[in-house]
Amino acid sequence: MRPTSFAGVALFASGAFAQYYQRLGGCPSLGCVFPPDQADFLPGQHFDIRLEVHSPVNGSEAREGVPDSNFKFTIGKKGQAGIAVTEFFDVEEAELENWSFSWYEDLFAEDAGTPSLVNVTSKAYRRVALYEPGEYEAILTYYGEEQTVANWLVRDIPKKRRAKNVVLFVGDGMTTNMITAARLIAHKSINGKYQTTMQLDKFPVLGHQMTHSMDSFITDSANSATALYGGHKTTVNALGVYVDSSEDPFDDPKFELIPEIFRRQHPNAGIGIVSTAFLADATPGALTAHTSDRGEYDHVIGTFLEGLTDYEWTKFDGPDVLFGAGAENFITSEDAPRDYYQLFSEKGYTLSLNKTALDAASNEERALGLFSVSNLPTWLDRNVYQHNLKELGNDPSGSGADALDLPGLKDMTVKAIDILDTRRRDEGWFLMAEAASIDKQMHTLDYDRSLGELLELDDTVKATIQRLEELGVLEDTLILVTADHGHGFDVTGAVDTVYLEEQEDDRDKRRAIGIYENSGLSQYTVGGANALKYSEGVHFPARWDPRYALHAGTVAFPDHRENYKVHKDGPRTPAEAGGDKTYYASYKDAVSGFLINGTLAPDASQGVHSLTDVPVFAQGPCQELFGGVYNSNDIFFKIAECLGLSEAKGGSHEGEEGHCPPKH
Ligand SMILES: *[C@@H]1O[C@H](CO)[C@@H](O)[C@H](O)[C@H]1NC(C)=O
Ligand SMILES: *[C@@H]1O[C@H](CO)[C@@H](O)[C@H](O)[C@H]1NC(C)=O
Ligand SMILES: *[C@@H]1O[C@H](CO)[C@@H](O)[C@H](O)[C@H]1NC(C)=O
Ligand SMILES: *[C@@H]1O[C@H](CO)[C@@H](O)[C@H](O)[C@H]1NC(C)=O
Ligand SMILES: *[C@@H]1O[C@H](CO)[C@@H](O)[C@H](O)[C@H]1NC(C)=O
Ligand SMILES: [Zn+2]
């Protein structure tokens, strides 16, 4: 059939609809309400309200540039007349704020350097809560008759606590495809049947979560972690807040997060945070931080230490356990004005700077463990190609020495459980443990290192179950393993790396790729002279450098070269900046390989996150809540339900000094 062409296609080429760039995410009209339409709340969850009225000075939506300063905001149960917000929550009238901001409507405007200017009036009502389950209508009326309606849902969640403890594993960027590839390289099979399987394969309940943002279908780790821990989908780069249009990264409307709610209701509840990333990074940081900019590292570490101090907000006086990397954000420097090693020590934390000290640390005391500068070196470098640990100058003391006595995710997680169980057995505890470099190594197209991190996560889950069983608390503990988003990774065959290397021409090199029946069987589980100690019982590949390697890739990448061989001399850098500041394939990254032209904008140096739903594995009390397909933020509500964090009208605020929000 011939394609039909219509003169009328120009229909789609005009109009002011902005998708690529938005005036303000979550606010398609000129009146903005945060929390926005479709927001869900746990009964009793504290939150801020931010209202904005926009008056574009120019651009496609131009008005006079004088935003309404007499806007009205009412709230009511759906179907009933709303009342003024001040009366509804019994709070003071908020001060009128104003500012202006500018944004580009599209790439043409950006190229031309013509941003659209918007003047704003705004009010914020801080720290309110809704207790009664049901549907609410929050209505902003501005410019006389214009309205923005936000439909809010307070979920009807039973108050009955069913789990004492929760362990939430986040495999950052982990997809089902990656799990499948990790299984293939670490577990032997005979005639298509695995002889052993992963710990994840043994979970009784499997669900899928949709990771979309509030205002974009691809998320980052800040926004997605915020949905997991706070129940609200927000904007890329935001931690524990909706993003308003003001310049200040700390005045955005906040909502309460699991560690804050759990501690507010149970002052003796335990909180543990473990990550292989630098601890100021988004996935650990989202447990306590409230900022529209995930790059505010000092704010993140400050909230670990003492919660939020700028606003009247739920008090949070530090986790029981904080283990990970990123010592540079704890040591005094221009970017980190405070000496956090000293400040945490003064609060009674033990400080471990290496694995020996971690193992020896008291289980009775709160514990801070920083094991390197930047991210922790990967499992592959710590366990197989250890020469890569030299000359990194990454000792967490800041001495410039190499950090060589390094724990892994398993060591940190099991120690965290020992401390939480010792200190918080009565009230229970919540632990988040992140395998961060599944994502970080996917970004740099280093699939071997990424899969090594995934197998380390699986090994950690196995060790966690064993430890909980030894402590006699396995039955009381909900264990979840999920991701925050994916990457478009998959495996499509095998590559004869020897044949590839022997060919001169790039097109001839591609003949080394075997597909379908020529993909053969996994050569990573075969022992022999080069077999590693990880071959039996503990499931990692017996070798990482077989002649027939995985033909692996992602759907979006910068220019790079590929030879499909493990990078024995350290993590990959697939692309390097050229003189024009855009990125080109690094020749030395894969000397024997062939060139693959990028599919992303030329200024991309790395691969990116993708659309895919991600898996949720659950076992323990409430496991049945986690089957099926649901939204990322539903995980917050399911965990809150399991811990009994729902607060009925007139609920108690034990352990809180005054300032109970009024109840509705
Ligand atoms: C809009 O904001 C700009 C810049 O902040 C200001 O100069 C201008 O007076 C404002 N326009 C109106 C009509 O208030
Ligand atoms: C903010 O309000 C002040 C006082 O009314 C006014 O002078 C200023 O132009 C306003 N700024 C913006 C950006 O609208
Ligand atoms: C809007 O006004 C600002 C300030 O005068 C100017 O810099 C910008 O180019 C204008 N944008 C458009 C789209 O006209
Ligand atoms: C480990 O840390 C302890 C305590 O800070 C220190 O005494 C010891 O020298 C460190 N060991 C290594 C190998 O760096
Ligand atoms: C890569 O792109 C360049 C143009 O940017 C082109 O000359 C070259 O042939 C392409 N190479 C491959 C392998 O696609
Ligand atoms: Zn990422």
Side-chain angles (χ1 to χ4, degrees), residues 26-27 31-37 49-52 73 138-140 148-150 152:
C27 183
C32 315
V33 177
F34 294 105
D37 190 26
I49 296 169
R50 165 69 81 185
L51 310 172
E52 293 187 16
F73 186 59
I139 303 177
L140 176 67
T148 296
V149 180
W152 291 346

Side-chain angles (χ1 to χ4, degrees), residues 256-457:
E256 246 185 335
L257 307 162
I258 282 185
E260 294 171 329
I261 303 170
F262 194 19
R263 275 274 181 83
R264 178 165 60 77
Q265 296 185 10
H266 303 276
N268 292 314
I271 303 293
I273 302 174
V274 172
S275 177
T276 54
F278 62 100
L279 282 169
D281 202 4
T283 309
L287 285 162
T288 57
H290 295 279
T291 173
S292 54
D293 179 4
R294 63 183 278 179
E296 291 288 347
Y297 297 148
D298 192 60
H299 166 86
V300 174
I301 309 294
T303 59
F304 288 149
L305 179 73
E306 59 202 354
L308 208 63
T309 53
D310 292 0
Y311 287 91
E312 183 187 288
W313 190 245
T314 308
K315 295 192 177 14
F316 182 78
D317 74 339
D320 296 75
V321 180
L322 190 54
F323 291 155
E328 66 276 22
N329 300 121
F330 286 76
I331 302 169
T332 317
S333 72
E334 242 171 68
D335 295 335
R338 300 201 278 172
D339 179 352
Y340 285 106
Y341 285 166
Q342 179 67 26
L343 291 169
F344 276 94
S345 297
E346 282 166 13
K347 279 194 87 155
Y349 283 79
T350 60
L351 176 62
S352 304
L353 299 181
N354 56 43
K355 181 175 185 302
T356 309
L358 174 73
D359 292 343
S362 162
N363 290 337
E364 315 272 336
E365 308 300 327
R366 300 208 221 188
L368 173 66
L370 269 306
F371 303 105
S372 73
V373 164
S374 184
N375 300 308
L376 204 67
T378 68
W379 182 92
L380 197 64
D381 295 309
R382 282 185 285 108
N383 292 282
V384 183
Y385 302 119
Q386 288 157 328
H387 62 277
N388 296 323
L389 301 179
K390 301 259 169 67
E391 286 167 40
L392 294 177
N394 60 342
D395 192 86
S397 66
S399 67
D402 296 332
L404 299 174
D405 182 16
L406 293 164
L409 183 65
K410 179 164 76 173
D411 308 298
M412 294 191 290
T413 304
V414 171
K415 182 69 180 183
I417 290 169
D418 286 346
I419 293 171
L420 289 164
D421 181 68
T422 304
R423 291 172 54 80
R424 307 296 196 173
R425 188 169 264 246
D426 293 345
E427 291 252 25
W429 45 265
F430 171 89
L431 169 65
M432 191 289 297
E434 183 203 16
S437 290
I438 298 173
D439 177 66
K440 293 181 191 300
Q441 296 299 319
M442 270 293 148
H443 276 293
T444 48
L445 317 182
D446 199 327
Y447 312 121
D448 293 296
R449 280 183 175 72
S450 180
L451 297 180
E453 299 299 297
L454 199 159
L455 290 167
E456 182 187 34
L457 171 62

Side-chain angles (χ1 to χ4, degrees), residues 65 67 98-100 119-120:
N98 74 348
W99 61 76
S100 64
N119 288 0
V120 183

